[in-house]
Amino acid sequence: MRILHTSDWHIGRTLYGRKRYEEFEAFLAWLTETIQQNAIDALLVAGDIFDTSTPSNRAQEIYYRFLCRVAASSCRHVVVVAGNHDSPSFLNAPKELLKALDVHVVGSSTEDQEDEVLVLHNEQDVPELIVCAVPYLRDRDIRVAEAGESVEDKERKLIDGIRNHYATVAALAEQKRNELGVDIPVVAMGHLFTAGGQTVDDDGVRELYVGSLAHVTAGIFPECFNYLALGHLHVPQRVNGFETIRYSGSPLPMGFGEAKLQKSVCQVEFRSMAASVQLIDVPVFQKLERVKGGWDGISSRILDLSATGSQGWLEVIYDGIEFIGDLRERLEAAISGTQMEILRIKNNRIIDRVLGQIHAEETLDDLNVNDVFERCLAVHDVPENQRPELLRAYQEALSSLYEDDAQAE
């Protein structure tokens, strides 16, 4: 049997105001063709299908059109689990209808974890694969909050909750396999952050739990899993060097920090119970490039790109010695007549001159939510010794906001 593992599509995500629907459509058209060409039997999507819990109509259209195309292909099954960016209730709403297309959706953990253990059958109705389809586990799914508990107590409870959840679904999968009386692979899915996981700047990966907690180790996963398909981190990577525990990574670069990464999906082939993994490179549908340096280096690079007919989107970071007050005007003149577009300009020399204060050249795009809160604390002269506790309370409020399923009612 041959499966394809992908995740973190983030359909609907914008890049400094630019909509990227054409890229998402191009990727999913390529994915449909890849599924057909490689005779894929099951597609696993490990969370963050959409970028927000309230995806636009166009984002939804792209998603459902793709599912219809895959249902009409040689692929027998699609398994989709929710990520931390997805609305569980939104993904779950059409799940009964999608079952008719052999699309299995698990938007959230339920009281009966058997709902996450799926037995997939071939055309002859013979069981061929068991999938432990574990979605993003929200804090409230795996931990009971108690007054007065420390940060360490929270971390321990979160990791224990994740470990116990996977142990339960693994035991259910082995029980089902024994009842079926057939030796078929067990594949697990998940959307989480493993310890030592590689990220890059500007990738938009959001911390899952307050205070960067619950970066789990590979040791918490039961040994009965023949392959573990993970989502959340955007860099394709093995976990702790294990060939069969992997992040597929996002198929599109989510920011300029990812521009030079080779994106891929994971093709997993089972011969008997042994899994072999092959990465399939995803084409670049929209070229991104970060151009950084002094003015001579920047202008030279733009000239080189122009000579090749580049249609890239650029981020320009000026960190030269010379103070340039008209940087934007110079850059606009440099790309005039080309098909390139500058989406972001960061003038580090101006930022340095105002000694870290917000300047007209520095926008909210340059700051994350914690940066903004810390600036507010500084502006209001909050004493340093009070800031860590206030920041932790702020992060808890943010986490609660992120995990609130606005689509549930």
Side-chain angles (χ1 to χ4, degrees), residues 150-162:
S150 67
V151 172
E152 291 75 19
D153 291 334
K154 291 180 181 180
E155 180 171 15
R156 177 180 49 78
K157 284 185 175 181
L158 284 165
I159 292 176
D160 286 347
I162 294 170

Side-chain angles (χ1 to χ4, degrees), residues 33-51:
E33 185 178 337
T34 300
I35 287 169
Q36 195 68 31
Q37 288 179 348
N38 292 274
I40 299 299
D41 301 305
L43 174 69
L44 308 183
V45 189
D48 282 353
I49 289 81
F50 297 104
D51 194 54

Side-chain angles (χ1 to χ4, degrees), residues 105-334:
V105 178
V106 180
S108 61
S109 180
T110 63
E111 290 184 5
D112 186 358
Q113 289 172 22
E114 195 166 357
D115 295 339
E116 298 171 19
V117 182
L118 313 174
V119 179
L120 306 186
H121 297 75
N122 63 18
E123 297 97 328
Q124 291 76 39
D125 202 32
V126 175
E128 59 179 345
L129 184 70
I130 297 176
V131 179
C132 296
V134 180
Y136 164 56
L137 298 172
R138 285 166 163 72
D139 192 320
R140 59 178 172 267
D141 297 331
I142 52 176
R143 181 179 72 90
V144 177
E146 296 178 15
E149 61 187 355
S150 67
V151 172
E152 291 75 19
D153 291 334
K154 291 180 181 180
E155 180 171 15
R156 177 180 49 78
K157 284 185 175 181
L158 284 165
I159 292 176
D160 286 347
I162 294 170
R163 178 189 290 109
N164 293 338
H165 193 99
Y166 275 94
T168 299
V169 295
L172 288 168
E174 291 200 285
Q175 179 184 329
K176 283 183 181 291
R177 183 161 59 182
N178 291 335
E179 290 171 353
L180 292 168
V182 289
D183 212 15
I184 56 176
V186 175
V187 170
M189 301 174 68
H191 194 89
L192 44 78
F193 202 137
T194 55
Q198 182 186 355
T199 60
V200 296
D201 72 295
D202 194 31
D203 61 7
V205 172
R206 181 194 298 162
E207 284 293 348
L208 296 176
Y209 305 103
V210 176
S212 304
L213 301 179
H215 290 192
V216 303
T217 64
I220 76 160
F221 301 114
E223 293 182 359
C224 70
F225 296 147
N226 299 98
Y227 182 78
L228 181 54
L230 296 177
H232 184 55
L233 300 186
H234 294 170
V235 178
Q237 58 194 285
R238 297 186 296 266
V239 175
N240 287 17
F242 289 101
E243 283 291 324
T244 55
I245 307 178
R246 286 181 177 264
Y247 288 96
S248 63
S250 61
L252 303 182
M254 293 295 133
F256 286 97
E258 294 184 61
K260 293 184 177 180
L261 287 178
Q262 175 58 62
K263 297 297 189 174
S264 57
V265 295
C266 301
Q267 178 178 290
V268 186
E269 187 164 3
F270 291 101
R271 297 190 182 277
S272 183
M273 302 289 282
S276 61
V277 183
Q278 175 189 350
L279 300 186
I280 301 176
D281 290 344
V282 177
V284 175
F285 303 106
Q286 171 61 57
K287 178 71 173 175
L288 305 182
E289 177 147 352
R290 174 178 283 169
V291 182
K292 183 176 181 179
W295 174 250
D296 288 344
I298 289 172
S299 57
S300 175
R301 181 58 184 157
I302 290 176
L303 192 62
D304 290 343
L305 291 170
S306 175
T308 65
S310 172
Q311 300 180 27
W313 292 349
L314 309 182
E315 175 191 56
V316 177
I317 301 176
Y318 174 74
D319 59 5
I321 297 173
E322 177 190 3
F323 173 76
I324 299 179
D326 62 342
L327 180 62
R328 182 174 295 276
E329 290 76 9
R330 289 196 192 187
L331 290 170
E332 292 297 338

